[in-house]
Amino acid sequence: MQLEDLRIYTAVVSAGSFTAAAEKLMLSKQYVSRRMAALEASLGAQLLIRNTRKLSVTDAGQTFAQHAQRILDDVFEAEQAVTGRRSALQGKFRLSMPMSFGMNPLSPLIAAFLTRHPAVQLQLELADRYVDVIGEGFDMAIRIGSLSDSSLIVRSLGTIRRIVCASPAYLERKGRPLHPDDLHQHDCLRFGREGQLGWELNVNGKRKIISVEGPVISNNGEVLADAAMAGLGLVLLPEFIVGAAVAQGKLVSVMNEYHPESLPLSAVYPQHRQRSDITRALLDFLKESPVLSNRPVDNT
């Protein structure tokens, strides 16, 4: 196996055909085809499925493409580090982040980062699922909450506050809860699995699970925030989802002394990416951003 084969292979996967990859690399189609056949023979595995209509990639081929791209990225960074030719940050970078947090507040931060470093090619996946960073070929993932032990490197970016709030109309109609025990008489809009188990609040310096009921359960915070602003009930959500509505008076924060503990906000990435210039630059950018600083929101 040669390094050139990895470059050709990733180009084929990206372009979707031998012809397009050959044109991009300024090689003959026949040469590309021969190199790919030699690569598969050396690996003893089929990476590509060829037919007259299209070229498709096998599962093994997808996995190999992810590893091949990481190898090429590492080689590129090593070359630039030795030769000193790099005048600007550049390269490809795959980043995963939670849906709601990725939309706001991370979305404008990512745009600002790319404006500062226009040669960086960033591939973003916004999803609330727990991605396999190494297995799926991500360079970094942003995660909220406690982390399980793993081989990934963890860097703290701060904490995420959560608050209980409701619309002024709801509080006028149902009354304002003053203690977690009051929640049994209220409609509570519940977020995912945590909401079904109950709300974990701070009572007398200890965490206590409060059983709650209500008309809506959702795995999307924006849906619950909209329901709360429509007067359907109380909601427990991170400030990055409801903070603006609280500041505008559309929602009112209640039971502030009983709010749950803040959630850790972390960046995780594989060992082999810790020397990446993009990794370091993005971490520094996010940690220095005032948008991620903790500023409590309260309109009481």
Side-chain angles (χ1 to χ4, degrees), residues 72-122:
L72 293 173
D73 290 342
D74 287 343
V75 170
F76 176 80
E77 290 178 4
E79 290 174 344
Q80 298 304 308
V82 172
T83 62
R85 290 195 299 258
R86 180 182 297 178
S87 59
L89 198 65
Q90 57 184 294
K92 297 179 180 179
F93 198 82
R94 293 193 71 205
L95 177 64
S96 169
M97 60 185 70
M99 178 67 73
S100 296
F101 195 69
M103 296 296 292
N104 180 42
L106 273 190
S107 178
L109 291 183
I110 294 301
F113 179 80
L114 291 176
T115 299
R116 181 180 297 184
H117 304 289
V120 173
Q121 299 179 45
L122 199 59

Side-chain angles (χ1 to χ4, degrees), residues 5 7 70 110 118 135 138 223 235-236 242 259 264 270 289 296 300:
D5 292 342
R7 292 195 174 98
R70 289 206 297 267
I110 294 301
F138 284 97
V223 169
V235 71
L236 170 59
V242 295
H259 286 175
S289 172
T300 57

Side-chain angles (χ1 to χ4, degrees), residues 133-148:
V133 175
I134 296 177
E136 297 181 50
F138 284 97
D139 297 297
M140 181 185 293
I142 307 298
R143 288 180 174 164
I144 298 173
S146 301
L147 301 175
S148 58

Side-chain angles (χ1 to χ4, degrees), residues 17 28 53 57 67 74-75 77 84-85 94 107-108 123 131 146 171-172 176 181 234 238 244 248 250 260 271-272 279:
S17 73
S28 70
R53 295 184 179 180
V57 185
H67 288 281
D74 287 343
V75 170
E77 290 178 4
R85 290 195 299 258
R94 293 193 71 205
S107 178
Q123 180 181 338
V131 303
S146 301
L171 296 177
E172 182 177 353
R176 187 188 189 100
D181 290 340
L234 295 158
Q248 296 165 9
K250 297 177 181 179
Q271 298 277 347
H272 72 274
T279 297

Side-chain angles (χ1 to χ4, degrees), residues 162-174:
R162 293 175 290 169
I163 62 175
V164 180
C165 54
S167 72
Y170 175 85
L171 296 177
E172 182 177 353
R173 185 175 75 253
K174 301 279 289 189

Side-chain angles (χ1 to χ4, degrees), residues 205-262:
K206 298 181 179 179
R207 291 181 292 178
K208 182 178 180 181
I209 301 295
I210 307 297
S211 178
V212 294
E213 297 292 338
V216 181
I217 300 175
S218 176
N219 66 344
N220 183 272
E222 279 80 7
V223 169
L224 295 178
D226 287 341
M229 285 186 280
L232 296 181
L234 295 158
V235 71
L236 170 59
L237 286 173
E239 276 190 350
F240 67 81
I241 295 179
V242 295
V246 171
Q248 296 165 9
K250 297 177 181 179
L251 293 173
V252 178
S253 176
V254 299
M255 300 193 308
N256 296 321
E257 64 270 37
Y258 300 108
H259 286 175
E261 292 184 358
S262 297

